[in-house]
Amino acid sequence: VPMSINRDLLAILACPETKAPLKLSSDGLYLVSTDKKTRRRYRIEEDIPVLLIDESEVLTPEEHEKALAD
């Protein structure tokens, strides 16, 4: 069962590549960069965001748009 990230923590987290704000996915499993050029998604493991660029996923423009709309 995914836990949610503390709102205060979420407010200060940023994409390590672009420094864009991150948005929690609707399922609580990922943090999604709001940067429309890089479209990175970072997983959350045991309530800890894995903010490593090499371990992030790059979403398609459609996936990214949907992730930000959720």
Side-chain angles (χ1 to χ4, degrees):
V1 176
M3 303 292 247
S4 72
I5 297 285
N6 176 294
R7 287 190 185 275
D8 293 333
L9 177 60
L10 186 57
I12 61 171
L13 289 177
C15 175
E17 181 178 21
T18 65
K19 308 303 183 234
L22 297 171
K23 181 181 180 214
L24 185 64
S25 63
S26 58
D27 60 10
L29 298 175
Y30 300 95
L31 290 174
V32 181
S33 174
T34 57
D35 188 286
K36 293 182 193 295
K37 291 180 184 172
T38 59
R39 303 182 312 273
R40 292 199 180 274
R41 176 171 78 174
Y42 301 89
R43 72 183 183 282
I44 299 171
E45 290 185 0
E46 298 179 20
D47 299 334
I48 300 170
V50 180
L51 297 178
L52 300 172
I53 295 169
D54 290 347
E55 294 194 25
S56 69
E57 297 175 69
V58 176
L59 301 176
T60 66
E62 295 78 19
E63 291 171 328
H64 188 252
E65 188 174 316
K66 182 181 183 316
L68 292 180
D70 286 344

